Amino acid sequence: MWFALLAVVAPHAEEPRPPRPSDSELLEAVIAESPRGHILSADFNDAPRDGGRIGCGLIDIDGVVEPFMTLTTWRGPPTLTVRLVGQPAPPVKPPHWSISAVVPPRIEADQDPETSRSARNQDALKRKLALMVCRDLQPPEGSVWTTELEPHPDPVRHAEVQRLAKRTTEALFGDRD
């Protein structure tokens, strides 16, 4: 009985990890997110855990300087798998390095005001996420990096969106009032 318990509790030996992606591979992910962009500066630091790497920098997209963030993290074997009744089990990815990049997309919006507002809000959200990780980045002199969302022009729809956001936040994090 004692040995069986030890076998369950003892960690399994993990296979050696492949080399972490290089800083240039992380920059390639930034360019893949924004093919029209040209990287102006980049600074890399080791992530606080799991051997990852975080890159922060500035990118010029069509003459506008924007912040970006890129990172690599180790994705080990899943600890939880969700199966839907009657559905086959989802494929399990083997452990691997994952690369992601956050760059404001600077979408070319058409003349539709709603599409333009939505595109500006998407830029603001990506910019805010990059700046949350890369707190030392500053806009170039004379530039302003907007991180606040534009409200919906219809006050009724805006109120509905605010209620939904409040309910979602409370469901996730509890009542904050």
Side-chain angles (χ1 to χ4, degrees):
M1 175 78 171
W2 176 254
F3 293 104
L5 180 61
L6 285 178
V8 171
V9 174
H12 298 282
E14 188 177 306
E15 302 245 348
R17 292 181 182 181
R20 177 178 67 198
S22 67
D23 293 350
S24 60
E25 288 175 282
L26 293 175
L27 292 177
E28 287 173 16
V30 172
I31 293 301
E33 282 291 311
S34 183
R36 298 183 336 258
H38 302 283
I39 295 174
L40 301 175
S41 67
D43 184 40
F44 293 89
N45 293 298
D46 290 333
R49 58 182 198 170
D50 288 338
R53 191 107 166 121
I54 300 170
C56 298
L58 300 176
I59 185 169
D60 181 309
I61 306 170
D62 300 332
V64 178
V65 177
E66 294 282 2
F68 73 82
M69 182 272 299
T70 182
L71 70 114
T72 185
T73 54
W74 180 252
R75 302 284 187 203
T79 56
L80 176 68
T81 303
V82 177
R83 285 189 73 178
L84 301 175
V85 176
Q87 298 293 319
V92 176
K93 283 186 173 182
H96 65 283
W97 286 106
S98 173
I99 298 175
S100 60
V102 176
V103 184
R106 307 237 12 113
I107 296 170
E108 295 294 328
D110 57 20
Q111 300 300 332
D112 178 20
E114 181 58 24
T115 303
S116 297
R117 184 185 69 82
S118 176
R120 287 188 301 273
N121 280 346
Q122 186 176 358
D123 281 347
L125 283 172
K126 294 275 183 135
R127 199 175 290 124
K128 187 171 192 167
L129 182 55
L131 292 172
M132 286 173 61
V133 174
C134 304
R135 296 179 181 191
D136 293 338
L137 291 179
Q138 296 296 319
E141 191 172 323
S143 297
V144 175
W145 287 339
T146 303
T147 57
E148 298 301 319
L149 300 181
E150 292 180 29
H152 196 285
D154 176 4
V156 173
R157 177 74 176 121
H158 178 71
E160 181 182 327
V161 168
Q162 291 299 101
R163 278 193 303 277
L164 178 61
K166 186 175 193 286
R167 271 200 335 246
T168 303
T169 301
E170 288 174 355
L172 293 171
F173 305 108
D175 189 2
R176 304 192 105 183
D177 290 332

